[in-house]
Structures are given as C-alpha cells and as structure tokens.
Amino acid sequence: MKKRTLNDNETFERIALPHLDAVYRAAMALCGRSGDADDLAQETFLRAFKRFESFQAGTNCKAWLLQILRNIWIDRLRKKNLTGRPLPLEEAIVAEQTNENDTAWSNSEDLLENFSDEHVINALRELPEDQRLTLFLIDVEQLSQNEVAEIMEVATGTVKSRTSRGRAALKRRLASHAREMGMMRGRTNGTFN
C-alpha cells in the first residue's frame, strides 16, 4: 500500500469530509438506527480514506462516497444472509401509474414541507430498501438520476421507476395524515374532491 503524505490527508479532508453529513443521512436512511448509521458512516470514510488514490479528481466525491456506503451495506446484508424484498422484473420497464391529481401535494418539496419528520420517516421506513435509498438520493441529496443510477449500479430507467413507485407508496402511506391536516378531501367515486 502506498504510504500517505500529509498533503494526501489534507486533500482527503478538504474533498471528502464536507460530505460527512450526507453520508450519515444516507446511512440513517438505510439503517434506521443512529448507532448502526454511525458505524456505517465511519466504515465508509475509513474505506474511502484507504482507497482515496482511486478517487478521480474533479468527479462527484459525494456520489463516490455514497457508492462506497451502499457497497458496504450490501456486504453487511450478505454477511447476515438477509435479502430485501424481490422487485418485480418489469420494474425497470414499467413505472407504476399514479394519478397526480389525487392529492394537493405531488412532489418531494410539498411532502417534506407538509408533514412532520416523524410521519415521513415512518413512511420511508416502510418502503423497500432500494426505493427508500433512491428517494433519499434523489429528493434529499438532490443527485441526478444518472448519478443515482451509477451509485446503485442500475439503469437510469430503474431509478426513474423506483422514484415513481416510492413516491406513490409514500403518498398512499401518508394519505390519511394528509386528510387529517386538510390537505386532501375524502374520496367520492374513486376521485378526490
């Protein structure tokens, strides 16, 4: 292994450490518990530091770190012999159809502004892991679909599908609370008034 110089350490600190909060938030989105998220984020930065010479200057360091985080998470799941819910084969081809007129809120900004963190977090935890991480990267970290596809090692169409399905699932899970808050009226003949 190549011996690190002070300049390498300073470069890592300058380029990678500003993304510590984003990596921790992604770890929380995956783990759901702060202790596990702390461990996952710490392992991500340790691995990134050890492999910093493989980082290409001028590229998106946050995306690089999030890809490392995802790979560590997958390795942990494999070690525990856990698997996620199988996704249908057609997921990458056909996105779930949603009626955008169903609610007064239709995008991530509305969702985050109108619900308490607790409601959104609980609804997010109920999503399959791949949808949860995709929504987190798209809506919270504001990464492009292409960046998310690279991080998750899937096609861009799969990212679009997971985003669409995840948002639709969040709407369904948060619909009763939205009604309570007066954001939606009751259903009549299958449509919202």
Side-chain angles (χ1 to χ4, degrees), residues 37 39 43 53 100 121 127 130 138 167 169 173 177 192:
D39 291 345
E43 188 174 344
E53 70 276 353
E100 291 296 324
I121 288 168
L127 293 178
D130 287 338
I138 293 282
R167 287 177 180 162
R173 284 173 170 80
H177 188 63
F192 287 100

Side-chain angles (χ1 to χ4, degrees), residues 120-189:
V120 175
I121 288 168
N122 289 336
L124 279 169
R125 284 184 180 150
E126 295 175 12
L127 293 178
E129 182 179 303
D130 287 338
Q131 287 179 5
R132 185 172 64 238
L133 183 57
T134 300
L135 285 181
F136 174 80
L137 295 174
I138 293 282
D139 293 336
V140 177
E141 292 303 323
Q142 300 290 304
L143 296 175
S144 73
Q145 291 177 343
N146 290 335
E147 289 171 321
V148 174
E150 186 177 319
I151 290 167
M152 299 192 70
E153 299 175 352
V154 297
T156 303
T158 301
V159 171
K160 290 177 184 180
S161 177
R162 287 177 183 171
T163 302
S164 175
R165 288 174 186 262
R167 287 177 180 162
L170 280 178
K171 284 182 185 180
R172 285 190 303 274
R173 284 173 170 80
L174 294 170
S176 65
H177 188 63
R179 276 190 207 93
E180 290 172 14
M181 293 176 61
M183 296 173 64
M184 295 171 42
R185 295 181 194 102
R187 280 186 179 244
T188 306
N189 299 329

Side-chain angles (χ1 to χ4, degrees), residues 27-41:
M28 276 297 291
L30 286 172
C31 301
R33 292 185 298 221
S34 62
D36 293 340
D38 287 338
D39 291 345
L40 186 56

Side-chain angles (χ1 to χ4, degrees), residues 37-98:
D38 287 338
D39 291 345
L40 186 56
Q42 183 176 4
E43 188 174 344
T44 298
F45 274 89
L46 181 61
R47 189 173 293 179
F49 183 73
K50 287 179 180 177
R51 299 180 181 167
F52 193 57
E53 70 276 353
S54 70
F55 175 71
Q56 295 177 358
T59 61
N60 187 338
C61 187
K62 180 166 68 171
W64 179 71
L65 290 165
L66 292 172
Q67 187 169 22
I68 292 170
L69 173 112
R70 180 186 169 272
N71 291 340
I72 292 169
W73 179 250
I74 289 170
D75 290 346
R76 285 183 177 187
L77 292 178
R78 285 182 184 145
K79 285 180 183 174
K80 289 181 180 179
N81 253 347
L82 298 176
T83 57
R85 181 178 71 87
L87 298 173
L89 292 175
E90 67 275 4
E91 179 189 36
I93 301 169
V94 180
E96 185 174 298
Q97 296 296 317
T98 61

